[in-house]
Amino acid sequence: MIGRLVDRRAALTGLLASAAALSLPSRSARAQGDPLPSWNEGRAKQSILDFVAAVTKEGAPDFVPAPERIATFDNDGTLWCEQPMYVQLGFALDRVKALAPKHPEWKQKQPFKAVLDNDIAALAKAGEKGLLELVMATHAGMTTAEFAQIAGDWIKSARHPKFGRPYTDLVYQPMLELLAYLRANGFKTFIVSGGGIEFMRPWTERVYGIPPEQVVGSTIKTQFKVDKDGPVLIRLPTIDLVDDGPGKPVGINSHIGRRPVAAFGNSDGDFQMLQWATQSPGKRFGLIVHHTDAEREYAYDRKSTFGKLDKALDAASSKGWIVVSMKDDWKRIFRFE
Amino acid sequence: MIGRLVDRRAALTGLLASAAALSLPSRSARAQGDPLPSWNEGRAKQSILDFVAAVTKEGAPDFVPAPERIATFDNDGTLWCEQPMYVQLGFALDRVKALAPKHPEWKQKQPFKAVLDNDIAALAKAGEKGLLELVMATHAGMTTAEFAQIAGDWIKSARHPKFGRPYTDLVYQPMLELLAYLRANGFKTFIVSGGGIEFMRPWTERVYGIPPEQVVGSTIKTQFKVDKDGPVLIRLPTIDLVDDGPGKPVGINSHIGRRPVAAFGNSDGDFQMLQWATQSPGKRFGLIVHHTDAEREYAYDRKSTFGKLDKALDAASSKGWIVVSMKDDWKRIFRFE
């Protein structure tokens, strides 16, 4: 009797095992492991896991249908290193030097003179207006295809002054894991950066898994023309959108046409994006990366020239935005560590 | 002997059938049938099938990786009916009438007077500038959320003057099949319309399966503000982009950041988009919908006020753009036929 029961149980178990192997994902495929292995256990990590669980559970009160799962990420200081200066500013400075032989007048003209003299103080003094002049002189006057080539080539060859590595090595491993985790949960991930849209697009897919059509950034105007080689778009020295601060919700609306349900930033330039994403009905998520690790990266906030974090840091608690301390919350900052 | 062989073959057949049922797509699931059943057999249909076959066959000379399979579609006259006037113009006229009580001065002021008097000749005389004035008066001055609500409500209640049906019923069935066919083959489908981006977004996902973030269109400027109800975007009476003619490649570049490999239009306003998509290296595809069916829809081209097709029709042959005759190439125009 016992023998027969054992036989039948074995047969049944075998049958179930076969059926499971043929039609169901195996246990090991279902068990995802830790989706955020570079994050230390703590409030920041837990809040991410809780948010994703809440909005992806069909029938639950906070459920968000997949098409509405829009997550926007600032780039400089949120996904990659923005010190000792914005990467794109480094690019502009290198371009000024490369183009200087064709512009002898730059030797006497600010802010170009400051660049050629490596005079960072004079450059800082030129302010936003000076920066704009540099950007226009180096980012306009060519076709979009030519610019993509120039930017793509530069990003491959340039090296970070402190780490001696390509800038695309200086992307934050915990944020790469977060991007992948959100996508695995049906989110569409977008970059929404104050940086130039065409400066980022040549490499965002390779580095972040974010395709060009999901990159929002600052833009200059372009003009369609048919030249001897066929149709081209000429980059004009005219600002179209400054996708920073209050410009971020504008860029998001123009490019995405939906309000994000989650936004990730690191500076006051992300304040309005965080507001736009989180101050709307339903479960929402805002997160600020706080640069607190002088040893592994940089420590800066309220007084930084690049990535100043002051107003948003003060507001975080009342707005319910999670502040991530890179020093405490991140096991690893870069992949190469 | 024969009995045993039969038994063994039956057992083997049964086993194979079970394995197939469990692990392989069945024959009926693999056989797709005709993906374009509303298209008559002929050059237009065949050229679509050939193009898709060529660019999706891995290892073949014309293969295009899936992320590069960007297809852009004009909306008015390409995906839905644009006669007797652009749908959005109908919307603007209805809005002028709805708002008129608040604007007594409109009774004496063109182009508003023409609208209130139903004086189409005077309206036509107001030209593009007059049209713009109407658009600004009816499309600006509210939040983006309010406008989406107004446009979404209107599109549900308005009826086409000839067909007596909602405008969203007047989408072309063969084009819906084409959109679905391209998506099933790894293409990402975008709308690139001269129409207003925010006018289309409330309904493109439902009607075309195209989400808001894949809609490119004309835009007015918006401004971020935090009012008593939280953050809002105010629609300003200032043109941002006219996404028509040479503006289409500009809009495509800004929103998508890649050149399409296929483009679909119906008027001279699509000329530059067709150029931009097709005049680049690699296998490309351009198609023009020619309105030749006065009975089932409308017949118009070179002299039409809306959707004028003249220059692009002349150029089609030399550029290799396929011209679709709605009368001859389409078995069915609307789903309700």
Side-chain angles (χ1 to χ4, degrees):
Chain A
M1 177 70 185
I2 287 179
R4 286 188 62 179
L5 265 179
V6 168
D7 282 351
R8 291 184 67 176
R9 281 174 58 191
L12 197 62
T13 307
L15 202 68
L16 288 172
S18 308
L22 286 162
S23 62
L24 295 172
S26 70
R27 189 186 174 84
S28 65
R30 267 178 297 158
Q32 291 188 333
D34 183 353
L36 303 173
S38 299
W39 292 70
N40 286 317
E41 302 306 319
R43 183 175 170 243
K45 179 174 181 171
Q46 196 55 49
S47 69
I48 296 168
L49 299 172
D50 290 347
F51 170 72
V52 170
V55 299
T56 55
K57 192 173 172 185
E58 206 149 349
D62 294 326
F63 179 70
V64 174
E68 300 287 338
R69 290 181 210 151
I70 302 291
T72 54
F73 288 79
D74 170 59
N75 185 40
D76 297 315
T78 299
L79 295 179
W80 75 351
C81 180
E82 66 184 347
Q83 300 290 354
M85 66 173 80
Y86 295 134
V87 179
Q88 194 175 358
L89 178 56
F91 167 72
L93 301 186
D94 279 2
R95 290 301 299 160
V96 166
K97 288 171 187 170
L99 295 169
K102 285 184 188 167
H103 296 273
E105 76 280 10
W106 285 356
K107 279 186 194 154
Q108 310 304 329
K109 193 184 170 190
Q110 291 297 11
F112 303 96
K113 184 178 183 317
V115 178
L116 300 175
D117 298 347
N118 290 313
D119 182 350
I120 300 295
L123 190 59
K125 224 180 283 174
E128 203 174 317
K129 191 174 155 290
L131 220 69
L132 251 179
E133 273 188 80
L134 291 179
V135 168
M136 289 311 172
T138 54
H139 286 60
M142 69 290 279
T143 70
T144 50
E146 286 163 352
F147 183 76
Q149 183 75 47
I150 293 168
D153 286 349
W154 183 85
I155 204 82
K156 281 179 195 150
S157 66
R159 295 292 177 271
H160 188 277
K162 174 174 169 178
F163 295 99
R165 290 177 166 269
Y167 289 100
T168 47
D169 279 7
L170 303 172
V171 301
Y172 305 133
Q173 178 61 23
M175 296 305 280
L176 293 179
E177 292 167 7
L178 178 54
L179 284 167
Y181 173 56
L182 289 173
R183 288 194 290 259
N185 281 280
F187 283 79
K188 212 163 180 176
T189 54
F190 288 81
I191 289 175
V192 177
S193 170
I197 199 166
E198 306 279 17
F199 178 71
M200 297 181 281
R201 280 174 165 165
W203 51 268
T204 54
E205 189 151 30
R206 173 170 53 86
V207 174
Y208 301 132
I210 295 180
E213 61 270 25
Q214 286 164 225
V215 178
V216 182
S218 294
T219 48
I220 59 177
K221 288 193 183 294
T222 64
Q223 185 173 30
F224 181 79
K225 218 181 81 173
V226 179
D227 76 6
K228 59 175 176 30
D229 300 321
V232 294
L233 286 170
I234 305 290
R235 291 170 58 81
L236 305 177
T238 314
I239 287 283
D240 184 31
L241 171 69
V242 177
D243 189 55
D244 197 31
K248 288 204 176 192
V250 170
I252 288 170
N253 183 63
S254 166
H255 284 259
I256 309 177
R258 313 195 208 236
R259 281 177 80 164
V261 296
F264 303 83
N266 78 299
S267 78
D268 286 356
D270 302 312
F271 193 96
Q272 289 86 352
M273 173 171 76
L274 286 162
Q275 279 187 299
W276 185 237
T278 61
Q279 289 180 239
S280 78
K283 185 100 176 163
R284 299 292 181 263
F285 191 78
L287 183 148
I288 293 171
V289 174
H290 190 190
H291 292 261
T292 50
D293 197 325
E295 204 175 308
R296 294 185 297 173
E297 201 230 14
Y298 294 92
Y300 61 95
D301 47 32
R302 297 183 191 274
K303 288 175 180 169
S304 181
T305 308
F306 303 105
K308 177 178 165 180
L309 174 65
D310 185 38
K311 198 179 132 201
L313 194 56
D314 289 336
S317 160
S318 72
K319 304 267 189 205
W321 301 335
I322 301 296
V323 177
V324 167
S325 163
M326 288 174 71
K327 187 172 177 173
D328 303 318
D329 286 313
W330 288 0
K331 230 173 259 175
R332 205 155 67 134
I333 291 184
F334 303 118
R335 191 188 291 256
F336 57 78
E337 272 165 21
Chain B
M1 178 71 186
I2 287 178
R4 285 187 63 181
L5 264 178
V6 169
D7 282 349
R8 292 184 65 177
R9 282 175 56 193
L12 198 63
T13 308
L15 203 68
L16 288 172
S18 307
L22 286 163
S23 62
L24 295 172
S26 71
R27 190 186 173 84
S28 65
R30 267 177 299 159
Q32 292 189 330
D34 182 352
L36 302 173
S38 298
W39 292 70
N40 286 317
E41 302 306 318
R43 184 175 169 242
K45 178 174 181 171
Q46 196 56 50
S47 69
I48 295 168
L49 299 172
D50 290 348
F51 169 73
V52 170
V55 299
T56 54
K57 193 175 172 183
E58 207 150 347
D62 294 326
F63 178 71
V64 174
E68 301 286 338
R69 289 181 211 152
I70 303 290
T72 54
F73 288 79
D74 169 58
N75 185 39
D76 297 315
T78 298
L79 294 179
W80 76 349
C81 180
E82 66 184 347
Q83 299 292 353
M85 66 174 80
Y86 295 135
V87 179
Q88 194 175 358
L89 179 55
F91 167 72
L93 301 187
D94 279 2
R95 290 301 297 161
V96 167
K97 288 171 187 170
L99 295 169
K102 285 184 188 167
H103 295 273
E105 76 280 10
W106 284 356
K107 280 187 193 157
Q108 310 304 328
K109 194 184 170 193
Q110 292 297 10
F112 303 96
K113 184 178 183 317
V115 178
L116 299 175
D117 297 347
N118 290 314
D119 182 349
I120 300 295
L123 190 59
K125 225 180 282 174
E128 202 174 319
K129 191 175 154 289
L131 221 67
L132 251 179
E133 273 187 80
L134 291 180
V135 168
M136 289 313 171
T138 53
H139 286 60
M142 69 289 280
T143 69
T144 50
E146 286 163 352
F147 183 77
Q149 183 75 45
I150 293 167
D153 286 349
W154 183 86
I155 204 83
K156 280 179 197 150
S157 65
R159 294 293 177 271
H160 188 278
K162 174 173 168 179
F163 295 100
R165 290 178 166 268
Y167 289 99
T168 47
D169 278 8
L170 302 173
V171 300
Y172 305 133
Q173 178 61 22
M175 296 305 280
L176 293 179
E177 293 167 8
L178 178 53
L179 284 167
Y181 174 56
L182 290 173
R183 288 195 291 258
N185 281 280
F187 283 79
K188 211 164 180 175
T189 53
F190 288 81
I191 288 174
V192 178
S193 170
I197 199 167
E198 307 278 17
F199 178 71
M200 297 180 281
R201 280 174 165 167
W203 50 269
T204 55
E205 188 150 31
R206 173 169 55 88
V207 174
Y208 300 133
I210 295 180
E213 62 269 25
Q214 286 164 226
V215 177
V216 183
S218 294
T219 47
I220 59 177
K221 288 194 186 292
T222 64
Q223 185 174 28
F224 181 80
K225 217 181 82 173
V226 179
D227 75 8
K228 59 174 177 27
D229 301 321
V232 295
L233 286 170
I234 304 290
R235 291 170 58 82
L236 306 177
T238 314
I239 286 285
D240 184 34
L241 170 70
V242 177
D243 190 54
D244 197 31
K248 289 206 177 192
V250 170
I252 288 169
N253 183 63
S254 166
H255 284 259
I256 310 177
R258 317 195 206 235
R259 281 177 79 164
V261 297
F264 304 82
N266 78 300
S267 78
D268 286 356
D270 303 312
F271 193 96
Q272 289 87 352
M273 173 171 78
L274 286 161
Q275 280 187 299
W276 185 237
T278 61
Q279 287 180 239
S280 77
K283 184 98 175 164
R284 298 292 180 264
F285 191 79
L287 183 148
I288 293 170
V289 174
H290 191 189
H291 292 260
T292 50
D293 196 324
E295 205 175 307
R296 292 186 298 174
E297 200 230 14
Y298 294 92
Y300 60 95
D301 48 33
R302 297 182 192 275
K303 288 176 182 169
S304 181
T305 308
F306 303 105
K308 178 177 165 179
L309 173 65
D310 185 39
K311 200 179 130 200
L313 193 57
D314 289 336
S317 160
S318 71
K319 304 267 189 206
W321 302 334
I322 302 298
V323 177
V324 167
S325 164
M326 288 174 71
K327 187 173 178 173
D328 303 319
D329 287 313
W330 287 359
K331 229 173 261 177
R332 205 156 65 136
I333 291 185
F334 303 118
R335 190 189 291 256
F336 58 78
E337 272 166 22

